[in-house]
Amino acid sequence: MMTTVQLAQDPALTVEALSVRLQSEAGVNDAVRSLSLAIDKGQTFALVGESGCGKSMTALALMRLLPEAGQVMGGRVWVGEQELNALPEAQMRRVRGGRLAMVFQEPSTSLNPVMTVGRQILETLHTHTQYRGHAARQRAIYWLSKVGIPDPERRIDDYPFQFSGGQKQRIMIAIALAAEPDVLIADEPTTALDVTVQGQILRLLADIQKEMGLGILLITHDLAIVKSVADHVALMRAGEILETRTAAEFFADPRHPYARALLAAVPSFAKRGHSLVPSVDATTLVAGIDGSASIPHPTQAAKVLHTPQIHPAFKSALASAPVVLSVQNLGVSYPQRSGILRRITGHTRVVDDLSFELRAGETLALLGESGCGKTTTAKALLRLLDKQAIITGQALLEGESLFDVGGAKLKAMRRRLQIVFQDPYASLDPRMLVCDILEEGVAALRPDRSAADRRAHVGQLLERVGLPANTVNRYPHEFSGGQRQRIAIARALAVEPAVLVCDEPTSALDVSVQAQLIQLLQDLQAEFNMAYLFITHNFGVVEYLSDRIAIMQGGRIVEIGETAALLESPKHAETQRLLAAVPRL
């Protein structure tokens, strides 16, 4: 089904019946089907939907940057009154980056690592504007200042690796806006950023949009962000737009069953104790607004969702549960080296005097801005920083010291403490079959098990995390992001840990896949009584899943408490600042 609504009165971008086809080994796929939309100058149009629905392919088609396997099969695209699909490539180069610009999802791969950021901005200025020489350099400095890069006169000559993730995203925005385009396509511009940096990026775009009259096509799956910044929303699935409405109407009264399902799957404190996964079969979600598929309004969804799990603000049984992980006065410092001989001249302290306890069956969320020391804490506890950093303090796992053991004892303790990393694609060996990945840990940490026993155990694990039996004979790249994360969880569970560290396990996942993963983690915790140390910047997941929250700032825990109490009455200024920055539905 395709809904076409002409919204623009002073159009910056108009798309009419755009269709894109992809050729692959599996056959022909219609990635975008008869897509139509229109964006006014000075307005934000959000294109929302889950991974694989065609959002990014639409953006690449508009920019005429489709991969070789992609082809525009029909449709017309106008920037103002200029029709793009009729232009030869030489003329399109003048439009691309000049009148129509794009901020890509991952700045680390979009910025040239061997060019200074200044040269990359100058490249846009030289191609699309009249600025040259000293005037061009001053204009590049102006744009770095405009997007909030401190000390731009000096940092213009720095390389991308010398900037944080949020700063790299700002530089991408500076490059995109340097030629003062009419339309900006922002493809997941805030994915994997913490809430405060995310807020800064969104405010930056809004300020520049107001000043320049910029039309913005925002591509995202984060519905809370859409509600806070968009004027109009188009919901996309399987290459088609299912519903196009003003943002206020879309969130107040979502008409399409798929829209209601996505909104119902967004975690929050109010939904604790209720499943985020709808009981309606996913194949019915593409039905129209004729009532053939029935999913409740999000405000009533909790009443009919299946497998409710009572998950109170703080389980009373936890108070008497045994402490499985005790951390006292943890410190992590990295040596600073200088000179030809690279002698140590000082130390940078990343984690400072950090203490907490974790009980069996408890979920403790570790929150804070990027760089506050969350992941460093996890890696130190897992003994992954022994050769890189100086670690002080004490950590007891089920009463035994983590930092004072080695050899066979350390191996035995690693059976009881496992981690699920943020990016399963990077943490799973791409050259190994899934069966080998899962058996590797069991063979190393459970040598008492026979090969046949290990294979049977692997099969049970895959079934437990909701993956088919043929998963064992496939490689990681053959799976979606959510499925790879399930494989990573299965690998961690293979040795039956007492504590599972989850480092951003739901980052960049769609809301429905995220809901399935949260449900899986809850079920596994109930079955095995595992303790979770949950590291994330996703407050919705934390509010829904955690028993206690610890807020980190500058390597220290500045506030810790039961989830309900901390959310209702935050004491520390950093906690208050983080909560105020969270976009909400």
Side-chain angles (χ1 to χ4, degrees):
M1 174 183 175
M2 187 271 293
T3 303
T4 303
V5 178
Q6 291 298 327
L7 299 166
Q9 298 172 352
D10 185 14
L13 176 71
T14 307
V15 183
E16 182 182 283
L18 179 69
S19 296
V20 176
R21 182 167 291 173
L22 290 176
Q23 300 272 358
S24 68
E25 293 180 3
V28 176
N29 174 37
D30 291 323
V32 180
R33 305 174 188 176
S34 298
L35 180 141
S36 297
L37 57 86
I39 305 174
D40 264 340
K41 293 178 181 176
Q43 288 200 332
T44 299
F45 189 106
L47 191 60
V48 303
E50 299 189 282
S51 297
C53 72
K55 304 188 304 293
S56 293
M57 201 57 62
T58 298
L60 293 175
L62 298 179
M63 297 289 293
R64 287 187 36 189
L65 292 174
L66 285 170
E68 288 185 8
Q71 183 181 1
V72 174
M73 302 304 295
R76 305 173 77 183
V77 178
W78 290 269
V79 173
E81 297 180 355
Q82 186 173 24
E83 211 279 292
L84 302 189
N85 287 349
L87 296 178
E89 179 58 25
Q91 291 184 40
M92 184 62 198
R93 287 196 197 103
R94 289 196 285 271
V95 175
R96 188 190 300 123
R99 299 192 66 194
L100 179 65
M102 184 166 175
V103 177
F104 293 92
Q105 180 172 350
E106 180 46 70
S108 296
T109 57
S110 302
L111 293 170
N112 191 326
V114 297
M115 288 174 64
T116 65
V117 298
R119 278 189 62 194
Q120 296 183 60
I121 300 175
L122 287 171
E123 193 173 43
T124 298
L125 291 170
H126 290 160
T127 304
H128 299 290
T129 73
Q130 300 301 313
Y131 289 100
R132 295 293 183 273
H134 178 70
R137 181 177 173 87
Q138 290 303 115
R139 191 65 177 171
I141 291 171
Y142 163 81
W143 276 111
L144 285 177
S145 172
K146 188 78 174 170
V147 298
I149 299 297
D151 195 10
E153 292 86 356
R154 179 179 64 83
R155 304 225 63 187
I156 190 173
D157 296 315
D158 285 347
Y159 291 86
F161 74 88
Q162 296 174 277
F163 295 86
S164 69
Q167 288 175 325
K168 281 187 279 197
Q169 194 64 282
R170 289 167 181 267
I171 292 165
M172 280 293 300
I173 292 171
I175 294 171
L177 296 179
E180 301 184 27
D182 300 316
V183 180
L184 177 70
I185 301 172
D187 188 4
E188 300 281 8
T190 60
T191 295
L193 297 180
D194 61 59
V195 289
T196 52
V197 176
Q198 174 181 276
Q200 292 165 9
I201 295 292
L202 293 174
R203 284 193 297 273
L204 168 65
L205 285 174
D207 291 344
I208 292 175
Q209 180 182 41
K210 187 181 295 184
E211 182 180 324
M212 296 174 56
L214 191 67
I216 295 179
L217 176 61
L218 175 65
I219 295 174
T220 184
H221 60 252
D222 192 324
L223 296 174
I225 287 177
V226 171
K227 185 177 182 182
S228 66
V229 302
D231 298 295
H232 300 280
V233 181
L235 176 65
M236 195 170 183
R237 183 181 172 97
E240 294 183 296
I241 289 180
L242 304 177
E243 182 176 356
T244 303
R245 305 176 73 191
T246 67
E249 292 171 343
F250 179 83
F251 288 101
D253 184 25
R255 292 177 180 173
H256 199 279
Y258 182 53
R260 296 200 292 272
L262 289 183
L263 289 167
V266 177
S268 68
F269 186 79
K271 295 177 183 176
R272 289 171 74 112
H274 302 277
S275 174
L276 299 174
V277 183
S279 56
V280 180
D281 187 271
T283 57
T284 67
L285 298 183
V286 293
I289 311 174
D290 57 3
S292 56
S294 177
I295 292 180
H297 192 281
T299 57
Q300 301 160 338
K303 298 177 183 178
V304 297
L305 295 178
H306 71 80
T307 58
Q309 281 194 309
I310 303 304
H311 196 70
F314 188 74
K315 304 169 191 170
S316 58
L318 289 177
S320 57
V323 174
V324 289
L325 180 64
S326 175
V327 179
Q328 299 295 326
N329 311 113
L330 177 67
V332 181
S333 301
Y334 288 94
Q336 294 176 333
R337 299 177 182 273
S338 60
I340 297 175
L341 299 178
R342 307 299 293 162
R343 290 197 174 111
I344 296 175
T345 56
H347 293 86
T348 300
R349 200 158 179 83
V350 179
V351 177
D352 187 16
D353 198 27
L354 184 140
S355 301
F356 64 86
E357 287 185 342
L358 186 59
R359 297 181 179 273
E362 180 187 15
T363 300
L364 173 65
L366 205 54
L367 296 180
E369 289 187 314
S370 297
C372 70
K374 304 186 300 293
T375 298
T376 301
T377 297
K379 289 182 176 179
L381 294 176
L382 286 150
R383 299 281 300 271
L384 299 178
L385 299 179
D386 287 3
K387 295 181 180 179
Q388 305 168 36
I390 299 169
I391 300 171
T392 58
Q394 185 181 57
L396 302 178
L397 180 64
E398 297 180 313
E400 292 187 66
S401 175
L402 272 171
F403 299 150
D404 298 327
V405 296
K409 281 192 174 182
L410 178 58
K411 257 191 175 184
M413 291 190 75
R414 278 192 166 140
R415 281 176 47 190
R416 308 297 290 154
L417 178 64
Q418 287 287 305
I419 185 169
V420 177
F421 291 99
Q422 177 175 352
D423 184 358
Y425 196 75
S427 62
L428 298 174
D429 192 326
R431 297 165 297 178
M432 292 175 67
L433 292 169
V434 170
C435 62
D436 298 326
I437 290 172
L438 298 184
E439 280 193 48
E440 184 181 41
V442 183
L445 301 179
R446 293 294 303 271
D448 53 305
R449 291 196 165 194
S450 66
D453 193 20
R454 290 199 301 268
R455 281 193 293 272
H457 183 54
V458 165
Q460 292 168 1
L461 282 170
L462 291 174
E463 183 181 354
R464 193 69 199 81
V465 299
L467 291 172
N470 67 358
T471 299
V472 294
N473 297 317
R474 296 163 67 186
Y475 290 93
H477 74 268
E478 299 180 62
F479 298 89
S480 68
Q483 289 172 322
R484 284 197 291 265
Q485 198 63 285
R486 287 170 181 263
I487 294 170
I489 292 172
R491 179 177 62 179
L493 294 176
V495 292
E496 301 165 8
V499 178
L500 185 62
V501 179
C502 300
D503 187 6
E504 299 280 9
T506 62
S507 176
L509 293 182
D510 301 322
V511 288
S512 63
V513 178
Q514 175 182 269
Q516 295 166 12
L517 201 60
I518 291 171
Q519 184 75 54
L520 172 63
L521 289 171
Q522 284 187 316
D523 292 345
L524 293 171
Q525 186 175 54
E527 183 175 343
F528 299 111
N529 202 33
M530 280 186 295
Y532 291 153
L533 180 61
F534 208 91
I535 297 171
T536 185
H537 61 252
N538 189 324
F539 269 79
V541 173
V542 167
E543 292 176 10
Y544 180 82
L545 194 62
S546 68
D547 299 301
R548 288 189 299 147
I549 296 175
I551 303 294
M552 283 190 72
Q553 183 184 29
R556 292 172 172 264
I557 290 179
V558 295
E559 185 170 3
I560 186 168
E562 298 175 15
T563 298
L566 188 140
L567 293 174
E568 185 179 344
S569 181
K571 301 292 190 298
H572 197 275
E574 177 67 5
T575 310
Q576 295 167 359
R577 189 172 71 90
L578 289 175
L579 288 173
V582 178
R584 298 185 182 278
L585 289 174

mmCIF file of all heavy atoms in Angstrom, residues 532-563:
data_model
loop_
_atom_site.group_PDB
_atom_site.id
_atom_site.type_symbol
_atom_site.label_atom_id
_atom_site.label_comp_id
_atom_site.label_asym_id
_atom_site.label_seq_id
_atom_site.Cartn_x
_atom_site.Cartn_y
_atom_site.Cartn_z
ATOM 1 N N TYR A 532 23.066 -8.818 35.667
ATOM 2 C CA TYR A 532 23.448 -8.039 34.491
ATOM 3 C C TYR A 532 24.077 -6.721 34.908
ATOM 4 O O TYR A 532 23.495 -5.970 35.711
ATOM 5 C CB TYR A 532 22.227 -7.715 33.623
ATOM 6 C CG TYR A 532 21.584 -8.888 32.915
ATOM 7 C CD1 TYR A 532 20.227 -8.856 32.587
ATOM 8 C CD2 TYR A 532 22.311 -10.014 32.552
ATOM 9 C CE1 TYR A 532 19.614 -9.912 31.926
ATOM 10 C CE2 TYR A 532 21.718 -11.077 31.897
ATOM 11 C CZ TYR A 532 20.367 -11.021 31.584
ATOM 12 O OH TYR A 532 19.773 -12.073 30.931
ATOM 13 N N LEU A 533 25.250 -6.434 34.362
ATOM 14 C CA LEU A 533 25.804 -5.083 34.415
ATOM 15 C C LEU A 533 25.545 -4.487 33.038
ATOM 16 O O LEU A 533 26.172 -4.860 32.050
ATOM 17 C CB LEU A 533 27.301 -5.111 34.722
ATOM 18 C CG LEU A 533 27.992 -3.735 34.808
ATOM 19 C CD1 LEU A 533 27.377 -2.888 35.914
ATOM 20 C CD2 LEU A 533 29.493 -3.895 35.023
ATOM 21 N N PHE A 534 24.561 -3.583 32.952
ATOM 22 C CA PHE A 534 24.015 -3.119 31.675
ATOM 23 C C PHE A 534 24.556 -1.734 31.374
ATOM 24 O O PHE A 534 24.201 -0.759 32.034
ATOM 25 C CB PHE A 534 22.488 -3.096 31.757
ATOM 26 C CG PHE A 534 21.801 -3.289 30.443
ATOM 27 C CD1 PHE A 534 21.448 -4.555 30.013
ATOM 28 C CD2 PHE A 534 21.515 -2.206 29.627
ATOM 29 C CE1 PHE A 534 20.811 -4.741 28.793
ATOM 30 C CE2 PHE A 534 20.880 -2.374 28.414
ATOM 31 C CZ PHE A 534 20.528 -3.659 27.991
ATOM 32 N N ILE A 535 25.446 -1.645 30.379
ATOM 33 C CA ILE A 535 26.068 -0.374 30.001
ATOM 34 C C ILE A 535 25.366 0.155 28.760
ATOM 35 O O ILE A 535 25.317 -0.514 27.720
ATOM 36 C CB ILE A 535 27.564 -0.568 29.723
ATOM 37 C CG1 ILE A 535 28.275 -1.024 30.995
ATOM 38 C CG2 ILE A 535 28.189 0.712 29.185
ATOM 39 C CD1 ILE A 535 29.702 -1.451 30.778
ATOM 40 N N THR A 536 24.801 1.349 28.848
ATOM 41 C CA THR A 536 24.048 1.871 27.718
ATOM 42 C C THR A 536 23.829 3.371 27.877
ATOM 43 O O THR A 536 24.059 3.936 28.944
ATOM 44 C CB THR A 536 22.680 1.161 27.605
ATOM 45 O OG1 THR A 536 22.010 1.603 26.424
ATOM 46 C CG2 THR A 536 21.808 1.465 28.809
ATOM 47 N N HIS A 537 23.393 4.017 26.770
ATOM 48 C CA HIS A 537 22.920 5.404 26.863
ATOM 49 C C HIS A 537 21.444 5.480 26.498
ATOM 50 O O HIS A 537 20.891 6.565 26.408
ATOM 51 C CB HIS A 537 23.751 6.318 25.953
ATOM 52 C CG HIS A 537 23.692 5.961 24.499
ATOM 53 N ND1 HIS A 537 24.744 5.394 23.824
ATOM 54 C CD2 HIS A 537 22.696 6.062 23.597
ATOM 55 C CE1 HIS A 537 24.403 5.177 22.577
ATOM 56 N NE2 HIS A 537 23.159 5.573 22.418
ATOM 57 N N ASN A 538 20.810 4.331 26.302
ATOM 58 C CA ASN A 538 19.395 4.282 25.957
ATOM 59 C C ASN A 538 18.554 4.282 27.232
ATOM 60 O O ASN A 538 18.389 3.254 27.884
ATOM 61 C CB ASN A 538 19.107 3.037 25.114
ATOM 62 C CG ASN A 538 17.703 3.034 24.536
ATOM 63 O OD1 ASN A 538 16.752 3.493 25.162
ATOM 64 N ND2 ASN A 538 17.577 2.508 23.337
ATOM 65 N N PHE A 539 18.027 5.437 27.590
ATOM 66 C CA PHE A 539 17.299 5.554 28.849
ATOM 67 C C PHE A 539 16.006 4.748 28.845
ATOM 68 O O PHE A 539 15.570 4.269 29.887
ATOM 69 C CB PHE A 539 17.011 7.028 29.157
ATOM 70 C CG PHE A 539 18.080 7.687 29.971
ATOM 71 C CD1 PHE A 539 19.259 8.105 29.366
ATOM 72 C CD2 PHE A 539 17.929 7.880 31.330
ATOM 73 C CE1 PHE A 539 20.256 8.706 30.110
ATOM 74 C CE2 PHE A 539 18.919 8.480 32.076
ATOM 75 C CZ PHE A 539 20.092 8.893 31.474
ATOM 76 N N GLY A 540 15.365 4.613 27.680
ATOM 77 C CA GLY A 540 14.133 3.836 27.624
ATOM 78 C C GLY A 540 14.365 2.402 28.021
ATOM 79 O O GLY A 540 13.601 1.817 28.812
ATOM 80 N N VAL A 541 15.441 1.795 27.512
ATOM 81 C CA VAL A 541 15.789 0.411 27.872
ATOM 82 C C VAL A 541 16.106 0.309 29.353
ATOM 83 O O VAL A 541 15.675 -0.623 30.041
ATOM 84 C CB VAL A 541 16.979 -0.077 27.022
ATOM 85 C CG1 VAL A 541 17.463 -1.441 27.503
ATOM 86 C CG2 VAL A 541 16.595 -0.141 25.557
ATOM 87 N N VAL A 542 16.845 1.275 29.856
ATOM 88 C CA VAL A 542 17.219 1.277 31.279
ATOM 89 C C VAL A 542 15.978 1.368 32.169
ATOM 90 O O VAL A 542 15.830 0.631 33.144
ATOM 91 C CB VAL A 542 18.177 2.449 31.571
ATOM 92 C CG1 VAL A 542 18.326 2.670 33.069
ATOM 93 C CG2 VAL A 542 19.526 2.181 30.936
ATOM 94 N N GLU A 543 15.069 2.273 31.833
ATOM 95 C CA GLU A 543 13.858 2.455 32.640
ATOM 96 C C GLU A 543 13.021 1.180 32.663
ATOM 97 O O GLU A 543 12.413 0.838 33.668
ATOM 98 C CB GLU A 543 13.038 3.616 32.080
ATOM 99 C CG GLU A 543 13.702 4.976 32.254
ATOM 100 C CD GLU A 543 12.896 6.085 31.596
ATOM 101 O OE1 GLU A 543 11.748 5.815 31.188
ATOM 102 O OE2 GLU A 543 13.414 7.210 31.495
ATOM 103 N N TYR A 544 12.992 0.485 31.537
ATOM 104 C CA TYR A 544 12.159 -0.717 31.431
ATOM 105 C C TYR A 544 12.799 -1.927 32.107
ATOM 106 O O TYR A 544 12.116 -2.755 32.719
ATOM 107 C CB TYR A 544 11.910 -1.019 29.957
ATOM 108 C CG TYR A 544 11.066 -2.241 29.708
ATOM 109 C CD1 TYR A 544 9.678 -2.189 29.787
ATOM 110 C CD2 TYR A 544 11.648 -3.461 29.389
ATOM 111 C CE1 TYR A 544 8.892 -3.311 29.563
ATOM 112 C CE2 TYR A 544 10.881 -4.589 29.159
ATOM 113 C CZ TYR A 544 9.503 -4.508 29.246
ATOM 114 O OH TYR A 544 8.733 -5.619 29.032
ATOM 115 N N LEU A 545 14.134 -2.031 32.043
ATOM 116 C CA LEU A 545 14.815 -3.286 32.383
ATOM 117 C C LEU A 545 15.517 -3.285 33.736
ATOM 118 O O LEU A 545 15.602 -4.325 34.389
ATOM 119 C CB LEU A 545 15.844 -3.582 31.283
ATOM 120 C CG LEU A 545 16.455 -4.980 31.204
ATOM 121 C CD1 LEU A 545 15.382 -6.020 30.928
ATOM 122 C CD2 LEU A 545 17.521 -5.015 30.106
ATOM 123 N N SER A 546 16.010 -2.145 34.183
ATOM 124 C CA SER A 546 16.948 -2.137 35.311
ATOM 125 C C SER A 546 16.258 -2.154 36.672
ATOM 126 O O SER A 546 15.128 -1.699 36.823
ATOM 127 C CB SER A 546 17.860 -0.906 35.223
ATOM 128 O OG SER A 546 17.108 0.276 35.437
ATOM 129 N N ASP A 547 16.982 -2.685 37.660
ATOM 130 C CA ASP A 547 16.552 -2.618 39.054
ATOM 131 C C ASP A 547 17.180 -1.416 39.756
ATOM 132 O O ASP A 547 16.532 -0.772 40.575
ATOM 133 C CB ASP A 547 16.961 -3.901 39.789
ATOM 134 C CG ASP A 547 16.319 -5.128 39.180
ATOM 135 O OD1 ASP A 547 15.086 -5.184 39.149
ATOM 136 O OD2 ASP A 547 17.045 -6.028 38.717
ATOM 137 N N ARG A 548 18.448 -1.167 39.415
ATOM 138 C CA ARG A 548 19.133 0.012 39.959
ATOM 139 C C ARG A 548 19.882 0.706 38.833
ATOM 140 O O ARG A 548 20.218 0.105 37.823
ATOM 141 C CB ARG A 548 20.116 -0.370 41.065
ATOM 142 C CG ARG A 548 19.459 -0.791 42.380
ATOM 143 C CD ARG A 548 20.510 -0.929 43.482
ATOM 144 N NE ARG A 548 21.505 -1.945 43.133
ATOM 145 C CZ ARG A 548 22.798 -1.892 43.493
ATOM 146 N NH1 ARG A 548 23.241 -0.854 44.172
ATOM 147 N NH2 ARG A 548 23.630 -2.860 43.160
ATOM 148 N N ILE A 549 20.143 1.999 39.039
ATOM 149 C CA ILE A 549 20.885 2.808 38.067
ATOM 150 C C ILE A 549 22.070 3.455 38.772
ATOM 151 O O ILE A 549 21.924 3.989 39.881
ATOM 152 C CB ILE A 549 19.993 3.895 37.442
ATOM 153 C CG1 ILE A 549 18.851 3.272 36.641
ATOM 154 C CG2 ILE A 549 20.816 4.825 36.539
ATOM 155 C CD1 ILE A 549 17.852 4.288 36.104
ATOM 156 N N ALA A 550 23.239 3.404 38.113
ATOM 157 C CA ALA A 550 24.416 4.118 38.597
ATOM 158 C C ALA A 550 24.816 5.133 37.526
ATOM 159 O O ALA A 550 24.983 4.773 36.355
ATOM 160 C CB ALA A 550 25.566 3.157 38.867
ATOM 161 N N ILE A 551 24.939 6.391 37.898
ATOM 162 C CA ILE A 551 25.309 7.463 36.970
ATOM 163 C C ILE A 551 26.798 7.761 37.111
ATOM 164 O O ILE A 551 27.285 8.034 38.217
ATOM 165 C CB ILE A 551 24.505 8.751 37.253
ATOM 166 C CG1 ILE A 551 22.999 8.480 37.188
ATOM 167 C CG2 ILE A 551 24.907 9.852 36.268
ATOM 168 C CD1 ILE A 551 22.481 8.105 35.831
ATOM 169 N N MET A 552 27.517 7.690 35.993
ATOM 170 C CA MET A 552 28.954 7.956 36.000
ATOM 171 C C MET A 552 29.257 9.314 35.390
ATOM 172 O O MET A 552 28.606 9.740 34.430
ATOM 173 C CB MET A 552 29.712 6.875 35.224
ATOM 174 C CG MET A 552 29.879 5.561 35.963
ATOM 175 S SD MET A 552 31.027 4.430 35.103
ATOM 176 C CE MET A 552 32.609 5.241 35.398
ATOM 177 N N GLN A 553 30.244 9.962 35.947
ATOM 178 C CA GLN A 553 30.752 11.229 35.402
ATOM 179 C C GLN A 553 32.226 11.326 35.756
ATOM 180 O O GLN A 553 32.605 11.157 36.922
ATOM 181 C CB GLN A 553 29.999 12.426 35.980
ATOM 182 C CG GLN A 553 30.446 13.769 35.393
ATOM 183 C CD GLN A 553 29.762 14.945 36.051
ATOM 184 O OE1 GLN A 553 29.395 14.887 37.224
ATOM 185 N NE2 GLN A 553 29.569 16.024 35.302
ATOM 186 N N GLY A 554 33.068 11.561 34.760
ATOM 187 C CA GLY A 554 34.495 11.713 35.005
ATOM 188 C C GLY A 554 35.131 10.523 35.683
ATOM 189 O O GLY A 554 36.049 10.690 36.499
ATOM 190 N N GLY A 555 34.669 9.313 35.357
ATOM 191 C CA GLY A 555 35.268 8.106 35.918
ATOM 192 C C GLY A 555 34.755 7.712 37.279
ATOM 193 O O GLY A 555 35.197 6.707 37.845
ATOM 194 N N ARG A 556 33.809 8.464 37.841
ATOM 195 C CA ARG A 556 33.259 8.169 39.164
ATOM 196 C C ARG A 556 31.762 7.927 39.095
ATOM 197 O O ARG A 556 31.084 8.444 38.205
ATOM 198 C CB ARG A 556 33.504 9.345 40.132
ATOM 199 C CG ARG A 556 34.952 9.567 40.516
ATOM 200 C CD ARG A 556 35.093 10.855 41.314
ATOM 201 N NE ARG A 556 36.428 11.019 41.856
ATOM 202 C CZ ARG A 556 36.785 10.678 43.093
ATOM 203 N NH1 ARG A 556 35.873 10.176 43.923
ATOM 204 N NH2 ARG A 556 38.028 10.843 43.510
ATOM 205 N N ILE A 557 31.238 7.168 40.034
ATOM 206 C CA ILE A 557 29.787 7.052 40.192
ATOM 207 C C ILE A 557 29.342 8.218 41.070
ATOM 208 O O ILE A 557 29.738 8.317 42.231
ATOM 209 C CB ILE A 557 29.394 5.704 40.818
ATOM 210 C CG1 ILE A 557 29.638 4.565 39.823
ATOM 211 C CG2 ILE A 557 27.921 5.713 41.234
ATOM 212 C CD1 ILE A 557 29.308 3.184 40.345
ATOM 213 N N VAL A 558 28.517 9.101 40.492
ATOM 214 C CA VAL A 558 28.096 10.288 41.236
ATOM 215 C C VAL A 558 26.736 10.094 41.895
ATOM 216 O O VAL A 558 26.370 10.854 42.795
ATOM 217 C CB VAL A 558 28.060 11.531 40.313
ATOM 218 C CG1 VAL A 558 29.467 11.860 39.820
ATOM 219 C CG2 VAL A 558 27.123 11.323 39.134
ATOM 220 N N GLU A 559 25.960 9.101 41.425
ATOM 221 C CA GLU A 559 24.677 8.799 42.050
ATOM 222 C C GLU A 559 24.282 7.368 41.714
ATOM 223 O O GLU A 559 24.455 6.915 40.585
ATOM 224 C CB GLU A 559 23.584 9.765 41.573
ATOM 225 C CG GLU A 559 22.251 9.568 42.281
ATOM 226 C CD GLU A 559 21.244 10.672 41.998
ATOM 227 O OE1 GLU A 559 21.562 11.579 41.198
ATOM 228 O OE2 GLU A 559 20.135 10.625 42.568
ATOM 229 N N ILE A 560 23.764 6.658 42.702
ATOM 230 C CA ILE A 560 23.307 5.288 42.483
ATOM 231 C C ILE A 560 22.060 5.058 43.323
ATOM 232 O O ILE A 560 21.963 5.565 44.458
ATOM 233 C CB ILE A 560 24.421 4.265 42.835
ATOM 234 C CG1 ILE A 560 23.998 2.837 42.455
ATOM 235 C CG2 ILE A 560 24.808 4.349 44.301
ATOM 236 C CD1 ILE A 560 25.138 1.837 42.513
ATOM 237 N N GLY A 561 21.090 4.351 42.766
ATOM 238 C CA GLY A 561 19.861 4.116 43.523
ATOM 239 C C GLY A 561 18.903 3.247 42.750
ATOM 240 O O GLY A 561 19.139 2.893 41.585
ATOM 241 N N GLU A 562 17.796 2.880 43.410
ATOM 242 C CA GLU A 562 16.756 2.098 42.751
ATOM 243 C C GLU A 562 16.189 2.907 41.589
ATOM 244 O O GLU A 562 16.060 4.126 41.652
ATOM 245 C CB GLU A 562 15.663 1.749 43.749
ATOM 246 C CG GLU A 562 16.145 0.885 44.903
ATOM 247 C CD GLU A 562 15.055 0.665 45.942
ATOM 248 O OE1 GLU A 562 13.877 0.939 45.631
ATOM 249 O OE2 GLU A 562 15.386 0.228 47.046
ATOM 250 N N THR A 563 15.826 2.193 40.528
ATOM 251 C CA THR A 563 15.412 2.859 39.294
ATOM 252 C C THR A 563 14.281 3.853 39.513
ATOM 253 O O THR A 563 14.363 5.016 39.102
ATOM 254 C CB THR A 563 15.003 1.801 38.251
ATOM 255 O OG1 THR A 563 16.136 0.979 37.955
ATOM 256 C CG2 THR A 563 14.507 2.460 36.972
#
